[in-house]
Amino acid sequence: SLSFEEKIQWSLRREQAMEVSPIPVVTVQTAPYDDQRPGTSGLRKKTFVFESKKNYLQNFIQSVLSSIDLRDRQGCTMVVGSDGRYFSRTAIEVIVQMAAANGIGRLVIGQNGILSTPAVSCVIRRIKAIGGIVLTASHNPGGPGGDFGIKFNVANGGPAPDTVTDKIYQISKTIEEYAICPDLRIDLSRLGRQEFDMENKFKPFRVEIIDSVDVYLNMLRNLFDFNAIKGLLTGAHQLKIRIDAMNGVMGPYVRRILCDELGAPANSAVNCVPLEDFGGQHPDPNLTYATSLLEAMKGGEHGFGAAFDGDGDRYMILGQNAFFVNPSDSLAIIAANVSYIPQFQQTGVHGFARSMPTSTALDSSGRVAKAMKIPVYETPTGWKFFGNLMDSGRCSLCGEESFGTGSDHIREKDGLWAVLAWLSIIAARKQSVEEIVKDHWARFGRHYYCRFDYEEVDPRAAFFLMRDLEALITEKSFSSQQFAVGNNVYTVEKVDSFEYTDPVDGSVTKRQGLRIIFADNSRIIFRLSGTGSTGSTIRIYAESYERDPSKHTKEPQVIHNYLNDFF
Ligand code: G6P
Ligand code: ZN
């Protein structure tokens, strides 16, 4: 028989149990898919693949969760955010139910699921989470007929490195079951904590809904001089700006940070409501897709224009009359002007990095900056390759030709950070965008740059093309060949298939693109993209160096004609 105290405890426990019944955990049988290998930036597919292939989403989420050691998983915190695209809410519900069932202790989620990719990286670092999941297909269109994607970031806030994505892929190929709590429901709109008792041995499962902008905004305050930027954007001689959030995740960030905090008039921010299908547009900030910004800037009324992609890590900058700032130049120019950005005054500048196809304009900024040699690292395409460099203090600023720039403040590229960097430089130098760019060319020479994309190519054809091309250009007779184009003569100096050895962990990444490098540092690069969702995409990157300032006003498209002569 029970003692008096035992009886009381027993009835107390029974009462508690009746109040909130613990959430049951269910194990579901499933069959593996063989195509869940993450690409340059997560697993990206047509939305209908996630939406209608049985357990396609669940399999991948289970593979991600299983890739985390059970001991690390128990009681840990993960961050979840999305760019607001169609299917994100459904996916978040499944992720919450599966995280709980897999022993994750706490999920921190942006309100209504909204967090930009840079904000996810920022929050992971801030709260020391074990990692995070970002639901986005970046700049690819969204909606039932568009793309959906899942990115997994690790504890440093950056995209999972290959070792982790390989592990996820291996698990996905043999998965037989997944764990889920189908009864668990959360309210994504209610800020604050929600707690759930679990039926299994795990501790209570907690969900915390946070404001989408707060943590990220507070970080930016410490990196830039907000007063200086505010001075530029307000008052009688204000710089008129136009910022296009392209109906993606950046709307709330642009309104809150550029308008409310930094004083830009409300009408300088357009397309600021995140839409599930981005209004039917490509949320891709370049000259092809950011046409409404381009047209508006041509009017000449605004001195500075910027657009962002769906998840807010990419950006494009235009000066007055739609003067285009090439992303490789943007990186080089920020590098040459680090002294105007308060963040770098605090931390110093340890090194620069660029992805291999990004123009070599950065390299000259690195050579001359402060008359001190700043090392420049050349990595394969993909932001994940910058992670080790930044974690080990080797790299302070980095970027890619694909409209991404960032620094070691987080481990993702950061579109709004780049915009604030530019505004800081403009505020300090009191020059226009065009003047700053042309001044840079005059000092360092201009790297004319063009990229050509051949999309939805039959993967076999793409494979053979690259193989045959490699055979052709690596033949002895090809090196030292000369090509005359117009008045220029290009002499082949070096040909290779780009390979990268990570200076931190020694890992080697091979076959990252075929490079033809000429004696004057001009280059032609062939590379297979890693982000397409159907077929293969072949990219050709062409760069031609021009030292002579009197020849800096040609259209970059001249390279196009050169290329046609070439092949
Ligand atoms: C994503 C990655 C970038 C990469 C870009 C282009 O945006 O985050 O780091 O540069 O994809 O990749 P792709 O393989 O399509 O050239
Ligand atoms: Zn993106």
Side-chain angles (χ1 to χ4, degrees), residues 40-41 139 314 381-383 400 402 413 527 529-531 539 541:
T40 312
S41 188
H139 50 285
R314 296 183 174 199
T381 295
W383 204 261
E400 298 182 281
S402 55
K413 49 186 180 279
R527 179 180 159 267
S529 150
T531 55
R539 303 201 195 287
Y541 312 80

Side-chain angles (χ1 to χ4, degrees), residues 154-220:
V154 291
N156 73 354
D162 282 349
T163 44
V164 175
T165 51
D166 283 349
K167 193 167 166 192
I168 295 172
Y169 176 51
Q170 293 310 327
I171 298 172
S172 76
K173 285 195 296 189
T174 54
I175 189 168
E176 288 175 346
E177 56 184 36
Y178 64 86
I180 191 162
C181 301
D183 297 343
L184 200 158
R185 295 270 181 282
I186 60 159
D187 181 353
L188 270 182
S189 66
R190 181 158 60 89
L191 289 175
R193 288 186 183 174
Q194 300 164 45
E195 197 166 295
F196 305 88
D197 258 333
M198 302 296 298
E199 185 199 64
N200 58 16
K201 52 196 180 302
F202 301 133
K203 293 191 193 121
F205 172 68
R206 285 191 290 151
V207 169
E208 203 170 320
I209 307 294
I210 59 165
D211 178 86
S212 307
V213 185
D214 277 351
V215 182
Y216 176 77
L217 164 62
N218 286 332
M219 172 192 67
L220 289 184

Side-chain angles (χ1 to χ4, degrees), residues 138 309 311 313:
S138 192
D309 74 337
D311 63 329
D313 51 3

Side-chain angles (χ1 to χ4, degrees), residues 34 69 104 123 132 167 201 210 224 286 342 371 486:
D34 60 7
D69 200 78
I104 301 290
V123 175
K167 193 167 166 192
K201 52 196 180 302
I210 59 165
F224 296 101
N286 57 34

Side-chain angles (χ1 to χ4, degrees), residues 478-538:
F478 191 80
S479 66
S480 80
Q481 272 210 39
Q482 295 196 323
F483 297 90
V485 188
N487 294 330
N488 291 16
V489 176
Y490 295 88
T491 309
V492 178
E493 189 170 272
K494 183 179 165 188
V495 173
D496 70 2
S497 171
F498 182 64
E499 186 175 305
Y500 177 66
T501 305
D502 186 301
V504 179
D505 63 17
S507 60
V508 179
T509 312
K510 294 188 174 169
R511 314 187 71 80
Q512 294 299 304
L514 300 173
R515 302 194 288 183
I516 306 172
I517 303 173
F518 300 94
D520 69 346
N521 285 330
S522 297
R523 307 187 303 169
I524 298 178
I525 292 149
F526 295 79
R527 179 180 159 267
L528 292 178
S529 150
T531 55
S533 59
T534 30
S536 291
T537 298
I538 300 168

Side-chain angles (χ1 to χ4, degrees), residues 525-562:
I525 292 149
F526 295 79
R527 179 180 159 267
L528 292 178
S529 150
T531 55
S533 59
T534 30
S536 291
T537 298
I538 300 168
R539 303 201 195 287
I540 303 179
Y541 312 80
E543 173 181 353
S544 176
Y545 180 65
E546 182 56 71
R547 184 73 196 88
D548 181 357
S550 72
K551 295 180 184 156
H552 284 172
T553 49
K554 287 184 274 182
E555 279 298 302
Q557 290 299 330
V558 289
I559 292 187
H560 195 174
N561 305 332
Y562 281 9

